[in-house]
Amino acid sequence: MALAAERRTDTDLEAMAAPLARAQDPALDITEWLSTDLEFHTAITRAAGNRILELAMTSVHLVRPMTNTVFVDLLDRDTIQAQHTAIFEAIRDQDADRAEARLLDHVNHLDEVRTQALADRRARARSRSPACSPPGPGVDSE
């Protein structure tokens, strides 16, 4: 993130701003909205000018369709949009420390949502398991 803030060009800023603007459209379906997320983060990694970082980000986004099934329904678009905007503004202002801090805020938020989604999934699975089901008719529960 620091490299993106330090090295970004006006072209890089345009590449980040375009998906950020499109993501504000409430009519976007989830697939389109997630596509803007990928485009935004890819633009950041390109701005950093680090091919290894870009490769790593590409790898992360290749598995996103699977990981998205875990928590995408719990994501609040307004929260994500605000976090992305804060990241963009820090990069635009070439404030490396602030850019890194805003990215950490974003990653921590996503981790909290993921943790909650997994806990919810485990709770649903437990509630469906036979060991957690109430006894059937005629079965003494004591």
Side-chain angles (χ1 to χ4, degrees):
M1 194 58 56
L3 289 175
E6 293 166 2
R7 298 176 177 174
R8 63 88 176 146
T9 65
D10 289 343
T11 302
D12 293 323
L13 291 177
E14 290 170 12
M16 289 176 232
L20 199 55
R22 282 196 317 280
Q24 293 180 34
D25 181 355
L28 286 180
D29 69 24
I30 192 65
T31 301
E32 294 168 320
W33 183 70
L34 289 170
S35 179
T36 65
D37 180 77
L38 172 60
E39 189 178 340
F40 175 72
H41 286 285
T42 300
I44 292 171
T45 59
R46 284 195 181 122
N50 181 325
R51 303 270 304 168
I52 300 299
L53 179 61
E54 191 174 340
L55 178 62
M57 181 57 70
T58 300
S59 299
V60 167
H61 284 287
L62 285 174
V63 298
R64 284 226 4 235
M66 285 186 295
T67 60
N68 284 342
T69 63
V70 173
F71 68 92
V72 73
D73 294 336
L74 297 179
L75 292 176
D76 178 73
R77 290 186 187 198
D78 292 336
T79 299
I80 300 300
Q81 185 72 17
Q83 291 171 345
H84 283 179
T85 299
I87 292 166
F88 171 80
E89 289 172 349
I91 292 171
R92 179 199 63 208
D93 298 346
Q94 295 187 297
D95 187 332
D97 291 337
R98 194 173 84 211
E100 289 206 3
R102 296 302 70 85
L103 178 65
L104 283 175
D105 291 344
H106 182 53
V107 169
N108 288 335
H109 172 73
L110 293 176
D111 188 47
E112 289 169 11
V113 172
R114 179 194 60 83
T115 299
Q116 184 60 52
L118 291 173
D120 292 350
R121 184 177 273 191
R122 282 190 297 275
R124 283 191 307 275
R126 279 194 304 272
S127 72
R128 288 190 303 263
S129 82
C132 295
S133 299
V139 176
D140 188 5
S141 62
E142 296 194 33

